[in-house]
Structure formats: structure tokens, C-alpha cells
Amino acid sequence: MENQRNIILAVLLTALVLFGWEAGVGYFYPQAKTPTKVEQAGGAEKASSPSSSIKPTREGGLRDAADVALEKQDLKSALAEGGRLLIEAPGLSGSINLTGAIVDDLVINRHRETVKKDSGPVRIFSPAGTPAQQFAQFGWVGSGVATPNAKTVWTAQKDARLTPSSPVTLSWNDGSGQTYSIRFAIDKNYMITAEQTVDNKGSAPITVQPFGLVNRTDQTASLDTWNVHSGPIGAFDGSVSFSTNYSDVSGKGTVKEAGNTDWIGFTDVYWMSTLAPVGSKAEGTFRSLGNNLFRADLIYDQSIVQPGQRLSRTTKLFAGAKEHNVLDAYEKQGITNFGLAIDWGWFRWFEKPIFWLLVKLFSLVGNFGVAIILLTLIVRGIMFPIAQRQFASMAAMRAIQPKMKALQERYKDDKQKQQQEVMKLYKEEGVNPLAGCLPMFLQIPVFFALYKTLILAIEMRHQPFVLWIKDLSAPDPLHILNLFGLLPFDPPGFLAIGVLALLLGITMFLQFKLNPAQMDPTQQQIFMIMPWFMMFIMAPFASGLLVYWITSNLLTIAQQKFLYSRHPQLKAQAEKDAGDKKRVKA
């Protein structure tokens, strides 16, 4: 009766997982919305409807096909208006709008929008008013003095271009003796340096307060989850804060961060735009502007500039990909804890070495999938002595089974005494029942580290493996139920089983089959269900993670074969258990 109850319970739980899985996966791992056909006429009107009800995707970006079409249209119009200074650097390309001195047109040259080779570069900044608006601006707040604003038309040297070897200076004169200038410089990666200067050539002192800002919409934000932060970010008094979300800023209107600001801005899972003061103290604030718009402000202390004097403030604008080596290099150049902008979490002490090893292996073999397999070999090799002890413990446990059964029978009416005698037997025989769990326990941090690496590391984005696996950071694109895309439908989430997920289930099943049969029938049933349960669980995860797990299973099978040869009594017992089981069924 008890076994029947357990079977019914197992079936009900399995059904709950299968049919509740789709909702869970849809919530935690939403996929990009399939673009729908957009009519040439009326697309703009469609895009004006709010798309905030569509859940953000893992990478971010516009969520609605109408918004994508409108963004393309608006971008073309905005950039065609003229009055722009071109930006040409290895890392970034785009332009600065001379009206307002706004950096509002940037693409990241080293990263494509999709896995297609003809896909364009990732756009990170778009002008104000476009669906994907995001830009940076530098200015002054003045007291009793005219300061440039968003409508100010700045002048630059004719045919000037911002490149790593040619900084440019924009200037504006207020007509009453003050000259404002912004000198822009750019490096080979993703950093633009803005030096704001005001020369007071008037006859009276002026009071000014330089500032910089990043303005963006959350309509392009990536998914913010419990383990990967997306939204406002910054370092304040040396501590990086991942605790503020867009909803927090919307609710409060203004979030003023305590302490001096080391850097402040917004992050997505792969991209980030931040401002960092250089050599001066500044305050950082996040603001909600309504209509899904947000702003990160960096404002310096108010200063009095005497006649004949000048005031300069320098700010670093990072707008680019969160490549760990680039962020670490900027940190070494003086931006406090900039390398921690990647949300490694509390276990970064373990995750970063795993990531470092993976990148090193990739540099040797040139394929991240092969690097993952080599990493798995290394991990399993390190844990081999522990696995060997695990099998020795299993063999010893099997050897004392008759004695344990005798104790259980003798003290079946006194559980406490039974437990004491069993523990005494363990001690006398030198058996540790927990030894069998140790290898699995040690694999958990490795698995979690790789999981975080595949989610966070842009170095893994769009990295192919073999055949149909074009992006190891994305789920397996081929589904068995639609015959690998030959049938024109997408299976629902809980049935979207890919080839890798199936291989995972099969290898795990074979691995469990090699284990000695469990004494408890309920445990036997759980071990039979577990591989197929995990197949559904792991299907929506990154392909690289499944490659790791399949390789690990195959190595475990090979390892079990080898260790059975070292412990023949365990193999004999396993065969005896299998024979007994067949006889019982017969």
C-alpha cells in the first residue's frame, strides 16, 4: 500500500512539473518575441502602443516588431538631420549631436545583433525620442549665469572626427564673457573621456556646477532575475550596488545613492553605460522621468569661478560590452571596482577561476564547446580520487548489507536502538555512508560557476560548437517534436526538447543503470524517473551547460566501468541485485 501511494505521489509530482514547467520557463527564461509582419503604413501608430506588457528578453532590446520598425525609421530620420560629429574607433562607431553636445549614436563594433554573419553591430545609444532611446550628455547648472542646454548648438573644427588619435573639442560662448568647452577623447575599446571646461572672461565671478547624465528607456532592458541584475548600477564609496531596480526608481521618483560616486549608470546582462568622475568628488542619483524613461545623474560640487580663471571637470563615459578583461583594465586605470560590474554574485571567488580556466582553454583550442569538454575532463580528473573512494565506500556498504538487515529485523520495534546499532556497525566496519554523496556535492559549485559563466560572460555569446549549435549561451535551437524545424510549428515550452536535452536524459539513464540497485523500491523509482525529469528541466538552459553535463555523464560512465574492474564484488553484487529483481518480477 505504501509503495502504491509513493508511485501515485511520484506520478502526480511529475505531472505537476511537466505541465507547470512551461509557465515557469516562460517566466524565468523568456525568449525573444517572434517578429510579426509590420505593414509599411501604420507601423508607427502600432509602435506607439505601450509594449511594457511584453516581458523583457534575456539579452534585452526592443520587444515588439512595430517598435523595431519605428526605431529603424526614427533613427534614419534623426541621423540624417546633420550637425553631427563622427565617431570612428575600433570599439565604437557613431556620432555626437552638436545640438546639445549629446552622445546619442553609438554601436558596438565587436558584437553582432544575432548569430548571422551579416547581422549589424549591436546598437547601444539611440537619439531621444526613438523607441530605444539611450544617450549621454554633459553640461552645467549655473547660478546667475547663462549655461548651455539641450538646444545649444556647439561648434567644432571643420571635418573633425573623434578617433583614438584625434580628440575633438566642442565650444560655445554665452556672449557675456564665459566660454564653455567639452573635449572628447576615445580609446580603442568603449571609453569616451569628456573634459568640461568653463573660462570666465567676464568681470564678475560665476557659480557653476558641472554634471553628466545617462538617459535611457527600460523598454530595451534585459531580463532582471534573482541571479543576474539588470537596471541601475553603480559603485559608491567602493561598494558596487546591484540592489536598485527600475521599479524602485519608478516608485520613489528619485533614488539618491549614499556616499561618493565612483561610477553610476545602467546595465544589461551584456551591455553597460556608466559615468565615472576623474579626480573630483561627485554625487550620483537615479531618476524616473515617466513614460518608461530613466536617468542616472553624476553631479559635481558647486564651484565659484573668479574672473580670468577656469574650471575643468573630467568624466569617463563607458558605453559598451561587459568584456571582463576590458572592465578589469579600466579598474587598473583607476575606476574603482569596475571589474565587479559583472554580477558574479557571492561565489565570484570560485566562478572567476573557472571562467579564467575556460577562457584559457578556449585560447588554446579556438572552440568554446571543446574548451567546455576539456574543462569537464580537468574537473573530473581532479575529483577522480574522491570518486574512487566513493566506489570503495559503496562496495563496503554492500558488504555489510546482510548485517544491516539483521539489525533492522532485530530492533524493528525500537528505532532509536536500531539507529544506534547501525551507527556502531558503520564505525566498526569503517564505512562512511555520506562518502557516496561527496563527488556530487563537489560538482555543485562547478556546475553553478559554469552556469553563471554561460549567462554572464559576453565572451560566450554567439560562440558556436559544432553542427547546429551556433550559440553556446543559448538553448538548443532544434526541437525533436517539430522534426528539427522541418514542421512549421514551435512546440510548447515543456515539450521543446532538443537533441542535447535528449542526450542528457539518455546518458544520465545509462549512468544510473550502472549504479548498484537501491534497496528501497521508492528510491529505485526515483532513480528511474530522474533522468527524464532532468531532461525537461535542462532543455531551456544554455547549450554549453548541457554539453558540460553530457560530457560529465559520459566520463562518469567510463569511470564506473573502470572502478567496477577495481571492485569486482560491487559488480557481482549489482548483477545479483539485477537477477533478484528479475526473479521477483517473474
Side-chain angles (χ1 to χ4, degrees), residues 141 209-212 261 281-285 287 297-301:
V141 176
Q209 198 169 10
F211 71 85
T261 302
K281 291 183 179 180
E283 288 186 352
T285 307
R287 298 179 191 277
D297 293 327
L298 183 75
I299 187 160
Y300 294 91
D301 291 339

Side-chain angles (χ1 to χ4, degrees), residues 309-338:
Q309 293 187 345
R310 68 165 47 179
L311 173 74
S312 292
R313 291 289 181 266
T314 301
T315 306
K316 299 278 189 182
L317 166 64
F318 176 90
K322 292 161 67 174
E323 298 166 6
H324 80 285
N325 55 344
V326 173
L327 298 180
D328 289 344
Y330 288 138
E331 181 174 324
K332 289 178 182 176
Q333 292 172 16
I335 303 180
T336 305
N337 283 338
F338 208 54

